[in-house]
Amino acid sequence: MSGFEDSLLDEVDETVRIRLVVNGRKVVCEVAPRHTLVDCLRDTLELTGTHAGCEMGACGACLVQLDGRAVHSCLVFAVQADGATVNTIEGLTESGVLAELQAEFHRRNALQCGFCTPGMLVNAHELLSRVAQPSREEIRDALSGNYCRCTGYEAIIDAIDTVAKARSENGGAT
Amino acid sequence: MKAKAFSYFRAATIDQALDAHARAGDDARFIAGGQSLVPALSLRLQAPRLLIDITHINELRGVTREGGHLRIGALTRHCEMLSEPLIAEFAPLLHAAAPFVAHPAIRNRGTFGGSVALADPASEFPAMTLALDAEIEIAGPSGRRRVKADDFFLGLFETALQPGELITAVHVPLFRADQRFAFDELARRRGDYALVGCGILATFIDDRIDDIRIAFFSVGDTPTRARSAEAALIGKGLDADRIAAAQAALEGDLAPPESDEVPPAMRLHLSRVLLGRLLGRLGEGS
Ligand SMILES: Cc1cc2nc3c(=O)[nH]c(=O)nc-3n(C[C@H](O)[C@H](O)[C@H](O)COP(=O)(O)OP(=O)(O)OC[C@H]3O[C@@H](n4cnc5c(N)ncnc54)[C@H](O)[C@@H]3O)c2cc1C
Ligand code: FES
Ligand code: FES
């Protein structure tokens, strides 16, 4: 019944093989249990678009989509994600779903150093896929866990607001 | 920083999880959403040898109506507290509290059971189980049992859970037509832990309060019921004098901790302001 082997207790930090679908491709990684998903993405899979800032869930730089939902990849151990589907900023960019947001961030200077931008985009994308026309208040709320230390938030909120309005004027196209 | 090395075990059933914990003893931790545990491990505030992942245990999932109560599975995520229609209809106080729990991405992973088990005195949900007179359903090495929320929160991060015990669900009496609820908190910034927060569930007969449960969070070592304030309101209508009496009674109910940032007198003042607002809303029939 158990499935649990006592010998596991002596194998602390031994690597485990995990399988993921990352950005549409099946991958197999060897990870130690204490490695977080952001470690695995950046160091093992060399997907360095996902950034690691605080590594405590406070800054939002590490947001990815895990099974379709935005989550902090610093707050998930890679082993926990075994069998899951992950989309990073690279995959979301390739698929084109972020194109309008990216163009609008660019147009409005909604970034300077860009460190926070991947997380902002992942979060903005999730917001717009859940709420067709969020108010500025709702946009602020959605971004409340994303820190940007250079731009200030107005330009970022303007960019997201503009995309939301443009989409609803196009009858919700894209 | 990185967590210290540990082994990882993914449990498929409650029995597997309990068995693994029993064999690893004090050196094991259950992990649910991980939204509090992973930072604690990264900071090396904790360094267990074994993490038992309970998120793949189907028995811990789901929200169901059972007789006069709602059974909320421990793995119900914070975001589901917002989206699940049964919660909105039958536990509206939890639905109202959910948007105040952390940020959207944390709500996507954090679990209701994890929040109650952690018993952070600044957290919304543990206090709301008090307001709702909920029962915590527990599975452990010596069998299953249920504990009333009133008897569950014992001290700072201390609960009635024994080592190796798992919260399986929380049972909440169904919200009724003769009841009203109110929730709010005062925080410096959206998504931050509250300076003070409060949830109320009241039963009315005509416009008089027949029963009321007032639960505060962020004002002491545990989520706290304001029993003297409750006593000041029972059998009465909600006029300005009654609200003032309840606010005054808070002095005997709450003992905010010493803190440089928010002195106890200020927290008590904020608690009174918040209670006044919420009772005002209840009086308007919200
Ligand atoms: C930046 C940030 C802001 C936050 N803001 C808030 C906030 O405003 N309000 C708030 O309430 N929370 C907040 N949180 C915490 C978050 O809500 C957590 O999700 C929650 O407190 C714990 O739930 P979890 O499922 O993630 O538990 P985990 O982190 O997995 O576990 C927490 C503890 O509970 C134990 N545990 C978990 N599930 C069970 C179970 N079923 N039975 C027995 N033991 C169990 C674990 O062993 C561990 O000790 C915040 C977190 C972060 C990172
Ligand atoms: S690195 Fe994950 S939230 Fe900061
Ligand atoms: S653009 Fe630099 S942190 Fe946001």
Side-chain angles (χ1 to χ4, degrees):
Chain A
M1 158 295 276
S2 165
F4 180 77
E5 307 280 343
D6 286 330
S7 60
L8 192 64
L9 289 170
D10 302 321
E11 293 168 9
V12 155
D13 221 16
E14 244 164 68
T15 59
V16 209
R17 180 173 297 244
I18 62 165
R19 284 161 208 281
L20 305 167
V21 178
V22 180
N23 299 332
R25 285 180 280 275
K26 286 187 185 169
V27 297
V28 178
C29 294
E30 294 279 341
V31 293
R34 71 197 191 113
H35 286 152
T36 55
L37 183 58
V38 67
D39 298 333
C40 173
L41 293 170
R42 289 181 57 87
D43 303 343
T44 312
L45 298 172
E46 297 185 3
L47 292 165
T48 52
T50 303
H51 293 159
C54 65
E55 299 195 70
M56 290 201 358
C59 75
C62 66
L63 288 175
V64 299
Q65 271 189 343
L66 180 67
D67 290 329
R69 283 281 196 165
V71 306
H72 297 88
S73 57
C74 71
L75 293 188
V76 182
F77 291 114
V79 279
Q80 291 179 276
D82 185 18
T85 298
V86 181
N87 286 316
T88 68
I89 191 72
E90 288 89 348
L92 294 169
T93 300
E94 271 170 38
S95 73
V97 290
L98 298 179
E100 297 154 282
L101 280 166
Q102 284 163 325
E104 204 56 38
F105 267 58
H106 190 235
R107 203 170 74 77
R108 289 178 179 272
N109 275 343
L111 67 152
Q112 281 182 29
C113 76
F115 193 83
C116 65
T117 309
M120 293 281 182
L121 290 169
V122 170
N123 226 351
H125 173 58
E126 172 153 328
L127 173 68
L128 297 188
S129 45
R130 262 186 300 120
V131 190
Q133 233 188 322
S135 64
R136 287 180 79 84
E137 196 48 41
E138 284 174 297
I139 298 173
R140 280 181 188 283
D141 186 39
L143 297 185
S144 66
N146 291 71
Y147 280 11
C148 172
R149 290 283 111 117
C150 9
T151 315
Y153 297 85
E154 279 319 297
I156 295 169
I157 291 160
D158 288 343
I160 297 169
D161 191 31
T162 305
V163 172
K165 287 196 173 119
R167 283 188 188 175
S168 62
E169 273 160 28
N170 294 340
T174 74
Chain B
M1 225 190 333
K2 296 278 168 239
K4 278 193 111 167
F6 57 81
S7 295
Y8 169 86
F9 174 65
R10 184 180 280 193
T13 63
I14 292 174
D15 286 345
Q16 276 189 7
L18 297 178
D19 177 59
H21 203 297
R23 294 215 245 159
D26 282 351
D27 261 357
R29 291 284 178 287
F30 297 121
I31 183 164
Q35 303 299 285
S36 294
L37 186 58
V38 178
L41 296 178
S42 299
L43 289 167
R44 302 205 175 180
L45 297 173
Q46 297 190 36
R49 263 211 306 171
L50 178 69
L51 275 199
I52 303 164
D53 189 344
I54 60 172
T55 56
H56 295 265
I57 303 177
N58 278 328
E59 300 159 82
L60 302 182
R61 240 180 267 286
V63 179
T64 46
R65 197 179 156 174
E66 293 181 359
H69 59 253
L70 213 54
R71 182 182 184 277
I72 304 172
L75 288 178
T76 306
R77 301 207 187 268
H78 303 331
C79 60
E80 294 173 281
M81 303 298 281
L82 280 165
S83 63
E84 169 61 59
L86 285 173
I87 304 261
E89 184 173 357
F90 295 115
L93 183 59
L94 292 175
H95 182 79
F100 293 86
V101 178
H103 312 287
I106 289 165
R107 296 201 289 267
N108 281 343
R109 250 189 111 66
T111 69
F112 185 58
S115 181
V116 175
L118 184 65
D120 186 329
S123 275
E124 288 80 2
F125 289 144
M128 294 314 102
T129 65
L130 279 184
L132 290 166
D133 198 12
E135 270 185 17
I136 321 297
E137 182 191 294
I138 297 166
S142 44
R144 309 241 172 166
R145 63 194 182 109
R146 286 203 197 182
V147 178
K148 286 223 159 236
D150 277 327
D151 303 321
F152 187 76
F153 303 102
L154 304 178
L156 187 60
F157 294 105
E158 194 195 335
T159 68
L161 280 179
Q162 296 295 312
E165 280 191 328
L166 201 59
I167 294 182
T168 45
V170 174
H171 294 256
V172 177
L174 299 181
F175 184 69
R176 302 190 312 261
D178 58 349
Q179 293 184 314
R180 300 179 199 168
F181 70 95
F183 178 93
D184 210 345
E185 67 181 47
L186 302 172
R188 289 215 167 87
R189 197 177 67 106
R190 188 77 181 176
D192 272 359
Y193 285 103
L195 295 169
V196 45
C198 180
I200 306 180
L201 183 71
T203 308
F204 283 77
I205 296 180
D206 298 324
D207 270 332
R208 282 173 188 280
I209 292 181
D210 184 47
D211 186 36
I212 186 163
R213 297 175 67 97
I214 304 175
F216 276 90
F217 52 100
S218 272
V219 290
D221 284 353
T222 59
T224 310
R225 266 181 73 189
R227 290 178 191 270
S228 329
E230 291 171 3
L233 293 163
I234 285 180
K236 309 287 195 324
L238 270 176
D239 57 39
D241 286 350
R242 268 303 114 199
I243 293 178
Q247 286 173 306
L250 280 184
E251 179 108 52
D253 288 325
L254 308 177
E258 282 302 332
S259 130
D260 291 341
E261 256 184 281
V262 192
M266 176 176 162
R267 226 184 268 271
L268 190 59
H269 170 74
L270 293 176
S271 303
R272 287 192 176 128
V273 170
L274 190 60
L275 182 65
R277 282 186 198 168
L278 293 180
L279 291 175
R281 281 190 222 159
L282 276 190
E284 287 157 17
S286 70

